[in-house]
Amino acid sequence: MQKVFNKIKDLNIKILYKKEEIYPYAFDTAPIKDEVTLPLCVVFPKNTEDVQNIVKLAKKYSLNIVPRGAATCHTSGCKPNNKSIVVHLSFMDKIIEISKEDLTIKVEPYVTIKNLQNEAEKLGLFFPPDPSNLAVSTAGGAVALSSGGPRAFKYGTTKDYVINLKVVLASGEILQTGANVAKNVTGYNLTQLFTGSEGTLGIITEITFRLIPKPDKRLVTLCYFDSIIKAGYAVNSIINALIVPSTLDLLDRNTLKTIEKFNPTGLFEEQEAALLIEIDGSNAKIKEDNEKLFSILKETGAIKIIQSKNEEENENIWKTRRSAYACVTKLRPNAATEDVVVNRSKIVPLIEGIQKLSKKYNIITCIMGHAGDGNIHPNFALDLNNKEERENFEKLKDELFRLAISLNGSLSGEHGIGSEKKPYLDIALEPVALKYMEKIKNLFDPDNIMNPNKMF
């Protein structure tokens, strides 16, 4: 393989291939269950042309390509094999242009969501997708997984804001999937095909997002309930009252206790559940919605209602919520987060099912999620070096995925499939859908060099 390494060096592309250098690129944030497999090498392209040259080399020498950004994927979506060239996109981190008139922003894949949001807000614009790790989450990763976040109920997910992509295909060709316009029904919607494709169809090197005007104001409410059922009923009552919060998140008692243990902020940790609700818009709209919201929360049994008074308090409440997973990681040597989706009417049965599974397999579980759109995230704390715990965790996950499907739900709302959930695709998808997805993969990547063993 030294010949391949030399050719990459000749292209003036940074490359790592020593064992101690490439070891950190052998996994993402998914729990490590098996022996770590090192990639062949890691390369750092500076532009689309560099990516194109790397793909052509991989094709010529029958090697695999694994695109990688911040690697915050929870499903082993960045996991390489020993024939993999890991294409690390960290040098491609520029905001190319932003247009207030056209309400668009064009970026390279390693721009973080936080930086993207900040640049948009300087012009009074807004990029709503809001993954919890937005400070490190990259635009390319967000598109590859069609990331969502707490604002998805009102504003949608990443897929609703992508209007054009530049992609390097397995053939080495460069594809523009759409056009930089607000409306476009010219031909098949290739942009949406690549959004959520997890690097299995090509490498995204440029993204054009649409933006919207930034809301004037926001108000954050944190309220507590003595049962999950009451919290679930409150969610439905809020929506039935035609209030559309930008965020409607649920946290169970274990989550509250864990946050308070490691990041004390005065949460009422003895309550069974809490809802974090954010409403935004004009001052008049917020006042109107908040009057209805407050009344509904009282009627549905909220024990304590806390509301922010200013933007600083908004941020403090959100910092507490965003610390949840980090706090879970301190409970045991390992932590894992899962991602399943059901309709709102099935949230309570799903959560009750997760609680039963946690007791059955004796796994510490903190449940949180986006109750507005039914996307629930159970976070597990365990020791993967303990054989019994590791086996129990695998059994729990198997039953969790099957539970979500039995409730007419889905395997993932925003974390993707990767290799972790690949074995469950045949129970989550109809055979005809699965057949044509496999045909799409084969059409774009006939030699299966693009992130193999992820989804297909």
Side-chain angles (χ1 to χ4, degrees):
M1 286 296 106
Q2 189 62 45
K3 186 176 182 180
V4 176
F5 301 158
N6 290 338
K7 285 184 176 294
I8 293 171
K9 289 177 182 177
D10 289 343
L11 293 169
N12 194 28
I13 297 172
K14 180 181 175 180
I15 179 172
L16 305 176
Y17 50 85
K18 294 179 181 178
K19 183 176 180 179
E20 64 272 21
E21 293 176 327
I22 62 177
Y23 183 84
Y25 302 94
F27 40 82
D28 53 22
T29 56
I32 301 172
K33 299 177 298 183
D34 310 312
E35 184 178 342
V36 172
T37 301
L38 299 182
L40 187 66
C41 63
V42 183
V43 298
F44 298 81
K46 301 178 291 298
N47 50 47
T48 299
E49 183 181 0
D50 281 354
V51 174
Q52 185 181 36
N53 287 330
I54 292 163
V55 170
K56 287 179 178 178
L57 274 175
K59 181 177 174 63
K60 180 178 179 179
Y61 290 97
S62 300
L63 301 174
N64 301 145
I65 291 287
V66 178
R68 186 180 177 99
T72 55
C73 176
H74 295 287
T75 60
S76 294
C78 302
K79 189 176 181 179
N81 59 40
N82 57 13
K83 291 179 60 180
S84 297
I85 298 176
V86 173
V87 180
H88 201 289
L89 298 163
S90 55
F91 288 0
M92 299 177 68
D93 61 353
K94 300 178 187 63
I95 293 177
I96 300 168
E97 63 181 18
I98 182 169
S99 171
K100 186 172 185 178
E101 183 178 13
D102 295 330
L103 296 176
T104 60
I105 185 168
K106 184 185 293 186
V107 301
E108 291 184 324
Y110 209 78
V111 171
T112 66
I113 299 300
K114 184 65 174 176
N115 285 345
L116 194 160
Q117 289 177 344
N118 288 343
E119 288 303 307
E121 289 176 14
K122 288 177 183 178
L123 298 178
L125 303 177
F126 189 41
F127 183 72
D130 193 41
S132 61
N133 57 351
L134 78 167
V136 294
S137 176
T138 63
V143 174
L145 295 174
S146 191
S147 298
R151 294 182 186 140
F153 172 61
K154 179 174 182 178
Y155 290 107
T157 63
T158 299
K159 67 179 174 57
D160 300 300
Y161 296 87
V162 184
I163 60 174
N164 197 8
L165 299 170
K166 182 181 286 187
V167 183
V168 177
L169 302 177
S171 62
E173 296 171 290
I174 296 174
L175 169 69
Q176 290 277 358
T177 63
N180 297 340
V181 292
K183 297 170 71 175
N184 181 19
V185 290
T186 307
Y188 293 123
N189 193 337
L190 296 178
T191 302
Q192 289 299 304
L193 178 62
F194 279 85
T195 302
S197 64
E198 301 186 32
T200 62
L201 302 179
I203 303 180
I204 297 166
T205 61
E206 192 176 285
I207 307 151
T208 304
F209 292 110
R210 75 179 181 94
L211 304 172
I212 62 175
K214 184 182 177 182
D216 293 337
K217 187 179 177 182
R218 60 178 180 154
L219 171 68
V220 179
T221 299
L222 187 60
C223 54
Y224 298 87
F225 296 83
D226 59 13
S227 78
I228 288 280
I229 293 174
K230 287 182 181 178
Y233 180 63
V235 169
N236 289 329
S237 297
I238 290 166
I239 294 167
N240 290 339
L242 303 182
I243 302 171
V244 186
S246 56
T247 298
L248 191 45
D249 264 23
L250 182 145
L251 301 87
D252 76 342
R253 182 181 180 183
N254 279 358
T255 302
L256 296 171
K257 289 175 71 71
T258 301
I259 294 173
E260 197 59 23
K261 181 177 181 179
F262 296 106
N263 182 30
T265 53
L267 294 176
F268 289 81
E269 57 184 294
E270 296 307 316
Q271 297 306 319
E272 289 299 318
L275 291 178
L276 190 157
I277 306 162
E278 180 177 293
I279 53 179
D280 62 8
S282 66
N283 288 332
K285 180 61 175 172
I286 286 180
K287 182 179 179 182
E288 176 189 345
D289 283 349
N290 192 45
E291 287 175 357
K292 290 194 288 184
L293 174 65
F294 204 89
S295 176
I296 289 168
L297 293 176
K298 286 288 189 182
E299 290 171 3
T300 53
I303 292 171
K304 182 79 173 177
I305 303 172
I306 300 168
Q307 294 192 309
S308 61
K309 298 181 182 64
N310 51 49
E311 186 59 26
E312 182 181 358
E313 291 188 8
N314 286 337
E315 279 302 309
N316 286 339
I317 294 173
W318 269 112
K319 284 178 183 177
T320 300
R321 165 63 180 89
R322 293 187 192 281
S323 73
Y325 182 68
C327 292
V328 173
T329 66
K330 298 181 180 181
L331 289 172
R332 300 278 282 144
N334 303 104
T337 182
E338 275 304 336
D339 160 51
V340 289
V341 187
V342 294
N343 286 319
R344 281 192 303 275
S345 61
K346 302 295 185 181
I347 287 176
V348 171
L350 175 63
I351 291 175
E352 289 177 335
I354 294 170
Q355 291 172 332
K356 289 177 183 177
L357 290 173
S358 302
K359 289 179 182 178
K360 177 180 177 179
Y361 292 109
N362 194 29
I363 301 287
I364 298 171
T365 307
C366 299
I367 302 171
M368 62 194 78
H370 317 312
D373 54 26
N375 190 188
I376 301 301
H377 297 294
N379 294 325
F380 305 102
L382 69 160
D383 183 357
L384 290 171
N385 287 320
N386 182 306
K387 182 181 178 182
E388 182 181 359
E389 280 193 50
R390 186 171 68 248
E391 291 176 352
N392 281 344
F393 179 54
E394 292 304 312
K395 293 174 183 176
L396 186 157
K397 285 200 301 178
D398 180 87
E399 291 196 43
L400 169 64
F401 299 151
R402 294 179 188 278
L403 171 63
I405 298 300
S406 73
L407 294 171
N408 296 317
S410 176
L411 292 175
S412 176
E414 54 192 11
H415 289 179
I417 301 300
S419 58
E420 295 289 311
K421 296 184 181 180
K422 178 183 175 182
Y424 298 92
L425 282 181
D426 60 349
I427 67 168
L429 297 171
E430 293 292 330
V432 174
L434 197 58
K435 179 177 77 172
Y436 279 95
M437 289 182 187
E438 289 171 345
K439 286 179 180 288
I440 289 169
K441 167 65 172 173
N442 188 57
L443 173 66
F444 281 95
D445 185 19
D447 298 321
N448 195 28
I449 68 170
M450 286 291 179
N451 212 10
N453 198 37
K454 315 303 190 308
M455 289 203 288
F456 304 106

